[in-house]
Amino acid sequence: MPAVRLAGIEVSFGEGTTRFVAVSGVDLSVAAGEFVAIVGPTGCGKSTLLNVIGGLLNASAGAAFVEGQAVRGISKPCGYLFQADALMPWKTALANVAVALEITGIGRSEAERQARAFLARVGLARFGDRYPHQLSGGQKKRVALAQMLIRDPRILLMDEPFGPLDAQTRVLMGDLLLKLWQQDRKAVLFVTHDLDEAIALADRVVVMSAGPQSRIIAQHRVDLPRPREAAEIRLDPAFHVLQKAIWNDLRAEVMRAYGDEFAAIGGKP
Amino acid sequence: MKRSHLIFWQLLVAVAIFAIWHAVATWPILADPKKVQFFFSTPLAVMARVYEFFASGSIWRHLWITLSETLLAFVIGSLGGIAAGFWLARNPRVSAVLDPYVKMLNALPRVVLAPIFMLWFGLGIWSKVALGVTLVFFIVFFAVYQGVKEVSQTILANARMLGMNDRQLFRHVYWPSALSWMFSSLHASVGFALVGAVVGEYMGSAAGLGYVIHEAESTFDVTGVFAGMVVLSAFVIFIDWMVTLAENRLLAWRPQAGERAT
């Protein structure tokens, strides 16, 4: 049984003449323990798919299944890492992580004990009493990662989680994610617009077309050895072969997403 | 500026004002000093009167009355504002229906309600509390309404993905967000509670700082009026200072101006 299965998913917003179909006819299946990256041009509805799987958004057609169960309401087995800041600014880093356990009925002292251990795993043992505004962008993301992982979700949905970070921090965050993922191999759906990041992290890269009505146009298996080091793997010749192949699929869609905005500088769709 | 320098300059402003006031009331600079004294009294007479207030102990009762009215108006107005703010923010349909009435009531100058409150609640403290409540309620109401409406959609989605039910969302997300908005208007709401109390006393009462000022005024006792104003101003600064202390404790999670992430 796949961890996640999408069958003919279509998502639309608005009605009548203003109806906008974000994604249409998406079939996708993610096996347990598989790391899948979704790449595509800006605004192609990558995040929309994650929201459907997480149960935050209803599909207008098709069906979504999480561990064989049709999605209805919030999908309990899923953890979600958002692109924007999602930490509660009025709670300290420790409280932000601990609350994920407290709401399941675990006592505060036990929740905080486990939260401390998780903060240590993401390298923030000394930062538990900081408020989010006192943390850097990368530190906030690591707190959010600990907050997501402490519940031990079996499926991880990640929506361009490292998008707002600078290039070096992204590579480090990718390594941290791989290290944590290597320990228990959860199913991961990782949305990104960064092709290198997708190849470095994933077992499979799914390419989506430009919106509206975006769909899956190609899938590439990434047969690079694991465990990987995000910074090292980029030097592997096989990495470049993949990069070239996927970029060939992606390039036309990226140009299409921007329309003729780049025509002036000689970019051809 | 260093703190000691700042206090020096602040005191200098007070000394300068008193010096000019004293000079104008003593020597014929702008007008006949007798006339000036009738309309503005003299700083020394005002200081003497303030000293007398405290030396005889007569002022404490009035301060206590005004303080109780202020606190009661603040607490009752805040509780009402919080309840109404949450209720309307979570029920958009009710909010849409009541919207013109809320705007109408808020636009009404509260002073016109004072005589009606005198009629309903008598000349004791409750008519003043009621006036303060009508001022505090709307400030807190709008702040809480805003706080609940403007909860970040990402924080909300994240909290739901963590598995929070409605009750937990309220406790961990909506409530802290609304409170932070309410606290950010704390200075305004406490200030208006005091305005309600003093204006109410001024309109008709037997005790309180507003009463002291009004009594002095009705006997052309300008020294008494100014002395009452001095005590009232000091009282306002004291209350404002207490609010700042409370704020620093309650909003510790907020970034201070100029503070950078490490």
Side-chain angles (χ1 to χ4, degrees), chain B residues 15 26 32 42 44 52 90 93 101 141 146-147 150 162 171 175 198 210 226 239 244 256:
Chain B
V15 171
T26 316
D32 181 11
T42 71
L44 292 178
E52 199 185 300
R90 302 292 280 139
R93 209 172 294 174
Y101 299 99
F141 167 78
Q146 191 91 342
E150 306 226 331
L162 289 177
R171 180 169 152 216
W175 178 249
V198 173
F226 275 92
I239 296 241
T244 305
Q256 302 294 309

Short mmCIF file of all heavy atoms in Angstrom, two decimals, chain B residues 15 26 32 42 44 52 90 93 101 141 146-147 150 162 171 175 198 210 226 239 244 256:
data_model
loop_
_atom_site.label_atom_id
_atom_site.label_comp_id
_atom_site.label_asym_id
_atom_site.label_seq_id
_atom_site.Cartn_x
_atom_site.Cartn_y
_atom_site.Cartn_z
N VAL B 15 11.15 73.31 35.47
CA VAL B 15 11.64 74.51 36.17
C VAL B 15 11.39 75.76 35.32
O VAL B 15 10.94 76.79 35.83
CB VAL B 15 13.14 74.36 36.50
CG1 VAL B 15 13.71 75.67 37.03
CG2 VAL B 15 13.35 73.25 37.53
N THR B 26 4.07 87.61 39.12
CA THR B 26 4.65 88.46 40.16
C THR B 26 4.93 89.87 39.67
O THR B 26 4.67 90.85 40.38
CB THR B 26 5.97 87.85 40.68
OG1 THR B 26 5.78 86.46 40.88
CG2 THR B 26 6.40 88.50 41.99
N ASP B 32 -1.35 93.10 34.37
CA ASP B 32 -1.40 93.34 35.80
C ASP B 32 -1.30 92.02 36.57
O ASP B 32 -2.11 91.12 36.34
CB ASP B 32 -2.73 94.05 36.12
CG ASP B 32 -2.83 94.35 37.60
OD1 ASP B 32 -1.82 94.21 38.30
OD2 ASP B 32 -3.95 94.72 38.01
N THR B 42 -0.65 81.22 41.21
CA THR B 42 0.82 81.27 41.14
C THR B 42 1.36 79.88 41.45
O THR B 42 0.73 79.12 42.20
CB THR B 42 1.42 82.27 42.16
OG1 THR B 42 1.25 81.71 43.46
CG2 THR B 42 0.76 83.63 42.08
N LEU B 44 3.69 78.89 43.37
CA LEU B 44 3.94 78.60 44.79
C LEU B 44 2.63 78.31 45.52
O LEU B 44 2.56 77.38 46.33
CB LEU B 44 4.66 79.80 45.43
CG LEU B 44 6.10 79.99 44.92
CD1 LEU B 44 6.74 81.22 45.56
CD2 LEU B 44 6.93 78.75 45.21
N GLU B 52 -0.88 70.79 50.97
CA GLU B 52 -1.99 70.80 51.93
C GLU B 52 -2.90 69.58 51.73
O GLU B 52 -3.31 68.94 52.70
CB GLU B 52 -2.77 72.09 51.72
CG GLU B 52 -3.66 72.51 52.88
CD GLU B 52 -4.45 73.75 52.48
OE1 GLU B 52 -3.82 74.76 52.16
OE2 GLU B 52 -5.68 73.64 52.42
N ARG B 90 -15.56 35.33 15.24
CA ARG B 90 -15.76 33.93 14.89
C ARG B 90 -17.10 33.72 14.18
O ARG B 90 -17.38 32.65 13.68
CB ARG B 90 -15.68 33.04 16.14
CG ARG B 90 -14.38 33.15 16.88
CD ARG B 90 -13.21 32.57 16.10
NE ARG B 90 -13.14 31.13 16.20
CZ ARG B 90 -12.85 30.34 15.18
NH1 ARG B 90 -12.62 30.83 14.00
NH2 ARG B 90 -12.77 29.04 15.36
N ARG B 93 -21.25 36.26 10.03
CA ARG B 93 -22.60 36.66 9.65
C ARG B 93 -23.18 37.63 10.68
O ARG B 93 -23.72 38.67 10.33
CB ARG B 93 -23.48 35.41 9.51
CG ARG B 93 -24.59 35.61 8.49
CD ARG B 93 -25.33 34.32 8.23
NE ARG B 93 -24.49 33.30 7.59
CZ ARG B 93 -24.89 32.05 7.36
NH1 ARG B 93 -26.10 31.66 7.72
NH2 ARG B 93 -24.09 31.18 6.79
N TYR B 101 -24.37 49.07 13.61
CA TYR B 101 -24.71 49.47 14.99
C TYR B 101 -23.44 49.67 15.82
O TYR B 101 -23.36 50.58 16.63
CB TYR B 101 -25.62 48.43 15.63
CG TYR B 101 -26.92 48.29 14.88
CD1 TYR B 101 -27.12 47.26 13.97
CD2 TYR B 101 -27.92 49.25 15.03
CE1 TYR B 101 -28.28 47.16 13.24
CE2 TYR B 101 -29.10 49.17 14.30
CZ TYR B 101 -29.27 48.13 13.41
OH TYR B 101 -30.41 48.05 12.68
N PHE B 141 -12.62 45.86 22.18
CA PHE B 141 -13.40 45.11 21.20
C PHE B 141 -12.72 45.12 19.83
O PHE B 141 -12.50 44.08 19.22
CB PHE B 141 -14.82 45.69 21.10
CG PHE B 141 -15.59 45.20 19.91
CD1 PHE B 141 -16.17 43.93 19.92
CD2 PHE B 141 -15.72 45.97 18.77
CE1 PHE B 141 -16.86 43.47 18.82
CE2 PHE B 141 -16.41 45.52 17.66
CZ PHE B 141 -16.99 44.26 17.69
N GLN B 146 -9.72 42.42 15.68
CA GLN B 146 -8.58 42.46 14.77
C GLN B 146 -7.64 41.28 15.02
O GLN B 146 -7.20 40.60 14.10
CB GLN B 146 -7.83 43.77 15.00
CG GLN B 146 -6.80 44.08 13.95
CD GLN B 146 -7.42 44.90 12.85
OE1 GLN B 146 -8.64 44.94 12.73
NE2 GLN B 146 -6.61 45.53 12.05
N GLY B 147 -7.34 41.06 16.31
CA GLY B 147 -6.39 40.01 16.69
C GLY B 147 -6.85 38.64 16.24
O GLY B 147 -6.06 37.82 15.77
N GLU B 150 -6.82 38.54 12.25
CA GLU B 150 -5.53 38.65 11.57
C GLU B 150 -4.54 37.57 11.98
O GLU B 150 -3.35 37.74 11.77
CB GLU B 150 -4.93 40.03 11.81
CG GLU B 150 -5.87 41.13 11.42
CD GLU B 150 -5.21 42.22 10.61
OE1 GLU B 150 -4.02 42.44 10.79
OE2 GLU B 150 -5.92 42.83 9.80
N LEU B 162 -0.70 20.09 13.19
CA LEU B 162 -0.15 19.48 14.40
C LEU B 162 -1.22 18.68 15.14
O LEU B 162 -0.91 17.92 16.06
CB LEU B 162 0.43 20.54 15.34
CG LEU B 162 1.71 21.24 14.89
CD1 LEU B 162 2.10 22.32 15.88
CD2 LEU B 162 2.84 20.25 14.72
N ARG B 171 -6.98 28.16 22.53
CA ARG B 171 -6.06 28.37 23.64
C ARG B 171 -4.64 28.72 23.17
O ARG B 171 -4.00 29.61 23.73
CB ARG B 171 -6.02 27.10 24.49
CG ARG B 171 -5.09 27.27 25.65
CD ARG B 171 -5.19 26.18 26.66
NE ARG B 171 -3.89 26.09 27.29
CZ ARG B 171 -3.33 24.97 27.69
NH1 ARG B 171 -3.97 23.83 27.54
NH2 ARG B 171 -2.16 24.98 28.24
N TRP B 175 -6.41 32.97 21.22
CA TRP B 175 -6.37 33.71 22.48
C TRP B 175 -5.08 34.52 22.63
O TRP B 175 -5.15 35.74 22.86
CB TRP B 175 -6.59 32.72 23.63
CG TRP B 175 -6.54 33.31 24.99
CD1 TRP B 175 -5.58 33.12 25.93
CD2 TRP B 175 -7.50 34.19 25.58
NE1 TRP B 175 -5.88 33.82 27.07
CE2 TRP B 175 -7.04 34.49 26.88
CE3 TRP B 175 -8.70 34.77 25.12
CZ2 TRP B 175 -7.74 35.34 27.73
CZ3 TRP B 175 -9.40 35.61 25.99
CH2 TRP B 175 -8.91 35.88 27.27
N VAL B 198 -13.06 60.52 35.40
CA VAL B 198 -12.92 61.94 35.76
C VAL B 198 -14.05 62.78 35.15
O VAL B 198 -14.65 63.62 35.82
CB VAL B 198 -11.54 62.47 35.33
CG1 VAL B 198 -11.46 63.98 35.54
CG2 VAL B 198 -10.44 61.79 36.12
N GLY B 210 -12.13 64.43 39.78
CA GLY B 210 -12.98 65.29 38.97
C GLY B 210 -13.84 66.18 39.85
O GLY B 210 -14.05 67.36 39.55
N PHE B 226 -5.92 74.28 39.62
CA PHE B 226 -4.59 73.90 39.15
C PHE B 226 -3.98 72.81 40.03
O PHE B 226 -3.35 71.87 39.53
CB PHE B 226 -3.66 75.13 39.09
CG PHE B 226 -3.79 75.88 37.80
CD1 PHE B 226 -4.68 76.95 37.70
CD2 PHE B 226 -3.04 75.53 36.70
CE1 PHE B 226 -4.83 77.64 36.51
CE2 PHE B 226 -3.17 76.23 35.51
CZ PHE B 226 -4.07 77.28 35.41
N ILE B 239 -0.12 55.76 36.68
CA ILE B 239 -0.88 54.66 36.06
C ILE B 239 -0.19 54.19 34.79
O ILE B 239 -0.05 53.00 34.53
CB ILE B 239 -2.32 55.13 35.73
CG1 ILE B 239 -3.05 55.48 37.03
CG2 ILE B 239 -3.05 54.09 34.90
CD1 ILE B 239 -4.26 54.68 37.31
N THR B 244 3.11 50.23 31.68
CA THR B 244 4.36 49.88 30.98
C THR B 244 5.01 48.66 31.63
O THR B 244 5.48 47.76 30.95
CB THR B 244 5.33 51.07 31.00
OG1 THR B 244 4.65 52.20 30.46
CG2 THR B 244 6.57 50.79 30.19
N GLN B 256 11.51 43.99 20.29
CA GLN B 256 11.60 45.41 20.66
C GLN B 256 12.10 46.18 19.45
O GLN B 256 12.78 45.63 18.61
CB GLN B 256 12.59 45.59 21.82
CG GLN B 256 12.24 44.79 23.05
CD GLN B 256 10.95 45.24 23.68
OE1 GLN B 256 10.77 46.42 23.94
NE2 GLN B 256 10.03 44.33 23.93
#
